[in-house]
Amino acid sequence: MDTKVWYIPAKCNALEKNVGIYCRISSNDKEQLNSLVEQISALTRAVANVSQWKLCDAFIDICSAKGESKRKEFERMLQECEAHNISVILTKSISRFGRDTVDTLEALKRLKVAGTRVIFEDENLDTADAANELIISVLESLSQAENENRSENIRLGMSFRAATGTSGFYKRLVYGYTKDEQGNIIIDKEQANIVRDIFRWYINGDSILGIVKKLAENNVPSPSGKEKWSKRSVEILLSNEKYTGVVRLTDSYTHEHEYLIKEHHPPIIAEDVFMDAQEEKRRRSNIVVDENGTHRRGQKYSSKKK
């Protein structure tokens, strides 16, 4: 008598879970992009190692941790979890997840309500374990303090270099200058002649648009290499006192101090020429500041001297 054997597969106790990975880098430079590749690779392997996990989505933000930077993917991740499309979020570390302690805890609260589990790989912390909530809060506070100290040191360093005249910003080039082999600012003779022409034309009564036209007629390329100068490029050039050999920096840390170095590099124009251009600019301005506040003149000004 033939015996029939029925094969009954074993039931899987754990249901398959939809998993999302979250990665963030602060900029799109080469080093940060390499970090992003490493984050994605490591988290993808971690998901593949769990048989009941299925990678459904990757949320990737390229932005700094500053509060004003939008994290569209982070918000999309929260919404996907609240829609119950994601059961588990895997991320590299607490510092990559939230901007600060408040931001992290608020996001974790939303995810907890949605029933989503969050795993921080570097810290080996899992929100499924209630005991980890306090640890996460403490670690995030420490991480935030470390980042703030680092930022503070960078700002103080910039202020010190500005005050001692060693800041690289002092040697920032403008049209009319180049650098020698030692990195010192020197005059570009051809461009310097154009700078002198622009100041002379303006002081003698030419309008900004008139100067733009003259530059085009003489086939003079703009500072960015374009065929035609923009009105803004001419205005900026006429307002830049660097052409007198002066460099001025504002303290980026406190914004209260201003550092001035005279005879920093060879001047292209004399100081009195620069001041004449500024006076001419004020004379032509259509904006008046008086006891009635700031307002426009009653009629349009003439760019020509009377």
Side-chain angles (χ1 to χ4, degrees):
M1 182 179 177
D2 295 335
T3 302
K4 290 185 178 181
V5 178
W6 298 92
Y7 171 70
I8 303 175
K11 290 184 179 181
C12 181
N13 294 327
L15 296 174
E16 189 175 63
K17 294 183 182 296
N18 293 335
V19 180
I21 61 175
Y22 178 73
C23 306
R24 179 179 66 81
I25 55 176
S26 56
S27 67
N28 59 359
D29 62 35
K30 185 177 179 180
E31 184 179 349
Q32 288 288 299
L33 290 174
N34 288 337
S35 172
L36 177 61
V37 172
E38 291 175 2
Q39 285 184 54
I40 295 173
S41 178
L43 294 176
T44 301
R45 288 196 303 270
V47 174
N49 286 335
V50 181
S51 59
Q52 278 74 44
W53 282 3
K54 180 176 71 173
L55 182 60
C56 290
D57 209 337
F59 307 93
I60 301 170
D61 279 317
I62 301 178
C63 63
S64 72
K66 294 181 179 179
E68 63 269 16
S69 300
K70 292 182 179 180
R71 293 195 296 166
K72 294 181 180 179
E73 284 293 278
F74 187 80
E75 184 58 35
R76 185 173 74 85
M77 176 191 73
L78 295 178
Q79 292 173 0
E80 285 293 304
C81 293
E82 289 172 336
H84 304 293
N85 296 326
I86 303 290
S87 302
V88 180
I89 291 294
L90 193 62
T91 189
K92 177 177 171 59
S93 65
I94 295 175
S95 62
R96 295 288 92 188
F97 185 77
R99 291 192 180 100
D100 52 41
T101 304
V102 174
D103 186 56
T104 299
L105 296 180
E106 285 182 352
L108 290 177
K109 183 178 179 180
R110 286 177 63 178
L111 293 172
K112 184 177 181 180
V113 171
T116 304
R117 172 185 175 192
V118 184
I119 300 173
F120 302 96
E121 189 181 50
D122 283 359
E123 293 85 0
N124 194 27
L125 293 174
D126 188 339
T127 58
D129 184 350
N132 285 335
E133 289 188 11
L134 178 59
I135 297 175
I136 291 171
S137 177
V138 172
L139 288 176
E140 173 57 25
S141 297
L142 293 173
S143 176
Q144 181 184 348
E146 182 181 354
N147 288 334
E148 289 175 353
N149 286 337
R150 187 182 298 115
S151 299
E152 180 81 0
N153 289 336
I154 291 172
R155 288 195 295 266
L156 286 172
M158 291 176 65
S159 297
F160 175 78
R161 288 190 291 273
T164 57
T166 58
S167 173
F169 289 114
Y170 285 119
K171 293 188 177 183
R172 183 182 292 171
L173 288 178
V174 295
Y175 183 82
Y177 288 101
T178 186
K179 288 185 178 180
D180 62 16
E181 294 179 355
Q182 288 73 42
N184 299 312
I185 297 177
I186 58 174
I187 292 176
D188 181 310
K189 293 182 179 179
E190 185 176 347
Q191 291 184 358
N193 287 332
I194 300 301
V195 172
R196 296 186 187 103
D197 285 341
I198 291 174
F199 273 91
R200 176 170 51 82
W201 291 336
Y202 187 73
I203 293 171
N204 288 341
D206 283 292
S207 67
I208 299 295
L209 291 177
I211 292 173
V212 169
K213 184 178 180 181
K214 281 188 174 182
L215 292 168
E217 290 172 350
N218 287 281
N219 297 316
V220 178
S222 73
S224 60
K226 296 181 180 179
E227 289 185 10
K228 187 176 179 180
W229 285 61
S230 68
K231 181 180 176 184
R232 180 64 177 159
S233 295
V234 176
E235 290 174 340
I236 291 173
L237 188 149
L238 288 167
S239 300
N240 198 335
E241 66 177 336
K242 199 163 191 174
Y243 292 116
T244 65
V246 168
V247 179
R248 190 186 302 268
L249 278 186
T250 300
D251 186 347
S252 59
Y253 175 57
T254 64
H255 299 285
E256 295 176 354
H257 304 291
E258 194 171 66
Y259 304 102
L260 178 70
I261 298 180
K262 291 188 176 182
E263 299 180 359
H264 177 267
H265 52 271
I268 291 177
I269 60 170
E271 186 176 348
D272 59 342
V273 174
F274 179 78
M275 297 308 297
D276 286 345
Q278 307 320 299
E279 182 59 35
E280 181 66 13
K281 190 182 300 181
R282 284 190 289 271
R283 188 189 69 81
R284 299 187 194 187
S285 176
N286 196 32
I287 302 297
V288 177
V289 180
D290 55 24
E291 64 275 7
N292 296 320
T294 302
H295 57 90
R296 291 185 177 276
R297 296 180 190 274
Q299 56 185 6
K300 290 185 177 180
Y301 66 88
S302 170
S303 64
K304 299 293 184 180
K305 285 186 175 181
K306 295 182 181 179

